[in-house]
Amino acid sequence: MRFSTKAIHVGQEPDPTTGATIVPIYQTSTYTQDAVGEHKGFDYSRTVNPTRSALERQLAALEDAQYGSAFSSGMAATSAVLGLLSAGDHVVVTDDLYGGTYRLFSRVLARYGLQFTYVDMSEPATVRSALQKNTKMLWLETPTNPLLKLIDIRAVCDLRPSGAIVAVDNTFATPYFQRPLAFGADIVVHSTTKYISGHSDVIGGAVITNGPDLNEAIRFYQNSVGAIPSPMDAYLTLRGAKTLALRMREHAANAQKVAEFLESRDDVESVYYPGLRSHPQHELAGRQMSGFSGMLSFTLEGPPSRALDLARRTKYFSLAESLGGVESLICHPGRMTHGSIPKEEREARGVTDGLLRLSVGIEDAEDLIEDLRFALEATRPQVARL
Ligand code: PLP
């Protein structure tokens, strides 16, 4: 079965009770048992729920994997993966990553005795030098958020110390464009809030793996901690993911046009998009991804305040956190998604106050380009105009 067929059929057989073609929202916390311990495989909805199970099977299939577990947010999914570790364990983390992940690692999990080293994982040699005797996990995002750097998943997996886990946050690329397990990763994490659900109307996360032991441990954590999506949220995510392939093709086509437009402007300083030939890892992107997705970042000529000015002038690009919905969004990572990273650290990693990030939606590309052209002209520095 191929990608789009899986998205629409896996986990979504007609409902066994009624024949309903669409998976019902099983809005129930509990299930009546025939006798003590005699039930139809469902006992309590924190542990298992049919709507959630359908989503979990669908998401696993999209990553060509055996097992999927759905969570109430991407951060809950990330916590579950880190929950595989114990105090004293060490994690090598990419230094360009979602600010909320950094916050969870540095301000919550570090207090429980986990150790983190942040390095530029786009350089395999840097990863090697960060490994320690107690390294038990390598955590990467690729493309990274917000600088769209790429990490060679296979190269990182080749450096994995025995017994350590390679976990990849695949939120930006989605399984439509990139399947990290095929390159040797042990675990894939998603914020399903983004492209997978696709309509900016639900918060969710997922952990996907082929390892039966890893799956068992994640399931145990999911049931023990209880950060599960509601049946309604599971339904919305399942429904959104049915059109993932269609949407991703449009997101990527539009992002390519927007990136090329921005690159052609003399008042735009740099554009970060893996689909551009000028991207330093364009070749790796072509090897590791089957498309370049819909996220890009850029910096402007002029003072950093121009970025703030531009961000409030666009009409179709809403100024908002998040990404991956059908509508286009613009964000100022330094003040928004990555505001939880101390300014000095953030700037050292390239997330400057002049950086803007776009989640390119599936509106008409020409409208999106006009919108940006208008905002760029309106904020063009005097010097550049001469
Ligand atoms: N991973 C990435 C790459 C993200 O961009 C985000 C959120 O922006 C998350 C994880 C966290 O997901 P959630 O907001 O669903 O908890």
Side-chain angles (χ1 to χ4, degrees):
M1 211 189 290
R2 294 172 181 80
F3 192 89
S4 297
T5 316
K6 287 183 195 168
I8 291 167
H9 290 285
V10 174
Q12 301 165 75
E13 299 78 16
D15 181 56
T17 323
T18 63
T21 307
I22 299 304
V23 174
I25 302 165
Y26 278 94
Q27 193 70 50
T28 185
S29 60
T30 193
Y31 306 82
T32 300
Q33 310 194 0
D34 295 333
V36 175
E38 269 182 42
H39 52 70
K40 298 180 172 66
F42 298 92
D43 53 357
Y44 186 56
S45 275
R46 171 160 39 73
T47 318
V48 63
N49 173 280
T51 317
R52 192 171 91 223
S53 299
L55 170 66
E56 291 173 336
R57 286 179 57 204
Q58 179 205 41
L59 295 182
L62 294 183
E63 289 282 1
D64 287 334
Q66 294 292 316
Y67 311 105
S69 302
F71 289 86
S72 54
S73 67
M75 292 321 302
T78 300
S79 305
V81 175
L82 273 290
L84 296 167
L85 303 183
S86 305
D89 288 348
H90 173 250
V91 187
V92 178
V93 189
T94 176
D95 64 356
D96 185 36
L97 84 166
Y98 170 56
T101 307
Y102 174 83
R103 178 176 54 202
L104 173 72
F105 289 2
S106 60
R107 295 182 52 193
V108 180
L109 299 176
R111 284 195 285 112
Y112 292 95
L114 294 184
Q115 299 162 18
F116 298 94
T117 302
Y118 300 88
V119 290
D120 180 354
M121 291 177 94
S122 60
E123 283 298 327
T126 324
V127 178
R128 191 179 296 110
S129 62
L131 296 173
Q132 302 179 6
K133 278 208 181 72
N134 56 343
T135 302
K136 291 290 162 56
M137 187 174 285
L138 296 103
W139 179 277
L140 44 141
E141 273 178 27
T142 179
T144 61
N145 180 3
L147 291 173
L148 286 304
K149 285 192 218 168
L150 296 196
I151 296 167
D152 187 333
I153 302 171
R154 197 186 294 281
V156 169
C157 288
D158 287 348
L159 294 171
R160 169 180 38 205
S162 121
I165 294 165
V166 174
V168 179
D169 182 334
N170 202 24
T171 299
F172 268 34
T174 83
Y176 184 66
F177 286 135
Q178 175 173 276
R179 311 230 179 101
L181 300 178
F183 297 108
D186 302 289
I187 285 180
V188 168
V189 175
H190 280 284
S191 167
T192 56
T193 311
K194 312 293 171 8
Y195 287 112
I196 286 184
S197 67
H199 297 75
S200 304
D201 52 8
V202 60
I203 300 280
V207 178
I208 293 156
T209 182
N210 271 322
D213 295 345
L214 287 176
N215 175 56
E216 206 170 301
I218 293 288
R219 288 260 158 204
F220 177 79
Y221 185 98
Q222 183 194 40
N223 188 38
S224 306
V225 174
I228 41 119
S230 70
M232 181 68 192
D233 286 356
Y235 166 81
L236 283 170
T237 308
L238 179 76
R239 173 167 137 146
K242 291 184 201 200
T243 55
L244 185 63
L246 285 173
R247 287 185 284 104
M248 292 317 294
R249 287 197 286 267
E250 286 298 302
H251 281 296
N254 279 359
Q256 185 75 37
K257 287 181 194 158
V258 168
E260 286 172 9
F261 162 73
L262 289 172
E263 200 174 44
S264 73
R265 300 265 318 185
D266 64 358
D267 61 338
V268 172
E269 192 180 55
S270 21
V271 184
Y272 307 96
Y273 182 63
L276 289 176
R277 281 181 194 286
S278 58
H279 189 287
Q281 293 160 301
H282 181 64
E283 184 271 325
L284 171 59
R287 243 186 309 131
Q288 188 163 271
M289 306 172 77
S290 57
F292 308 114
S293 206
M295 297 302 298
L296 63 93
S297 295
F298 62 105
T299 54
L300 298 166
E301 292 292 347
S305 58
R306 185 177 175 213
L308 296 174
D309 193 12
L310 187 141
R312 66 182 179 87
R313 286 179 188 265
T314 49
K315 187 167 63 168
Y316 299 128
F317 284 89
S318 302
L319 178 57
E321 303 265 355
S322 201
L323 62 107
V326 291
E327 62 290 310
S328 293
L329 303 180
I330 186 165
C331 122
H332 184 273
R335 294 257 186 113
M336 297 167 74
T337 47
H338 292 66
S340 53
I341 305 178
K343 188 173 159 70
E344 262 175 35
E345 257 172 75
R346 184 164 43 74
E347 298 227 322
R349 292 174 195 177
V351 185
T352 59
D353 284 346
L355 186 78
L356 288 169
R357 191 189 77 180
L358 299 180
S359 172
V360 181
I362 63 170
E363 301 94 333
D364 191 305
E366 286 312 308
D367 286 330
L368 298 179
I369 288 172
E370 266 174 34
D371 195 24
L372 289 169
R373 185 182 290 120
F374 169 82
L376 285 164
E377 289 300 333
T379 59
R380 199 188 249 280
Q382 294 299 326
V383 184
R385 200 181 281 156
L386 292 174

